[in-house]
Amino acid sequence: MEKIDQTIFYSIEKAIKSYRQFAQKRMITHGFSTTVDQGLVLKIIHENPEMTQQQIGLLTFKDHASITRIIENLVSKKILSRDFHSLDRRRFNLSITSIGLEILERMQPVVELNRVNALNGISERELAALKVTLNKIISNCQS
């Protein structure tokens, strides 16, 4: 039987965890108090202002409680504002405050540099092949 740390899925998970730890350290080094997950949620809301918390959870692979906690933290830091939806009182309108917009703007170069550093030495061809392979795995698991 194959050892767990010899499987491709272990390697994929380790790569993701390593990148997240690397990115979080870099965010702290650059003076950000937001987490990688908070930054991701902020970016998603910025790009999709009408998205529901449930949709954000699906896009970030987070459960309802985790998304609620992330949003609560962003609201308490005055990075997001949350108001009741005008047509559905069970929903909230989430909007990024001026503080949040400034954080997003300052964060973007760090995010881009993190990605460049993480992908150092990997060719465009290798990345394209990796994307194809990962999409095949996703498709196999969804069918």
Side-chain angles (χ1 to χ4, degrees):
M1 180 168 21
E2 190 175 23
K3 291 185 177 183
I4 190 72
D5 62 350
Q6 300 300 309
T7 67
I8 190 63
F9 300 105
Y10 180 88
S11 295
I12 292 168
E13 186 72 20
K14 186 174 181 181
I16 291 167
K17 298 267 190 220
S18 296
Y19 177 74
R20 291 176 64 77
Q21 289 171 350
F22 166 77
Q24 189 62 55
K25 285 179 188 174
R26 299 281 304 239
M27 294 305 234
I28 291 168
T29 300
H30 283 86
F32 294 101
S33 63
T34 53
T35 65
V36 170
D37 286 338
Q38 290 171 345
L40 181 59
V41 168
L42 196 59
K43 179 84 169 155
I44 289 169
I45 292 169
H46 180 68
E47 293 174 354
N48 308 283
E50 295 298 316
M51 195 170 271
T52 66
Q53 285 185 219
Q54 183 177 12
Q55 291 168 322
I56 295 167
L58 290 172
L59 200 56
T60 59
F61 311 106
K62 301 284 182 204
D63 61 38
H64 180 72
S66 296
I67 287 298
T68 299
R69 190 171 39 255
I70 289 167
I71 289 172
E72 279 296 322
N73 285 331
L74 291 171
V75 169
S76 70
K77 292 178 179 182
K78 301 194 182 326
I79 294 171
L80 273 183
S81 66
R82 177 183 50 206
D83 300 305
F84 283 107
H85 192 275
S86 61
L87 301 176
D88 185 350
R89 300 296 280 172
R90 296 169 295 174
R91 281 184 55 193
F92 292 104
N93 285 328
L94 299 170
S95 55
I96 301 173
T97 65
S98 58
I99 294 169
L101 289 172
E102 179 189 335
I103 289 170
L104 261 180
E105 189 176 313
R106 287 186 16 244
M107 203 183 276
Q108 191 57 37
V110 178
V111 169
E112 290 171 11
L113 187 58
N114 288 347
R115 291 176 184 163
V116 167
N117 285 322
L119 298 174
N120 184 35
I122 302 171
S123 71
E124 290 296 323
R125 188 169 158 229
E126 289 171 313
L127 283 175
L130 178 59
K131 285 180 185 178
V132 167
T133 302
L134 291 174
N135 284 330
K136 284 182 184 177
I137 292 171
I138 292 166
S139 178
N140 290 343
C141 293
Q142 291 178 339
S143 51

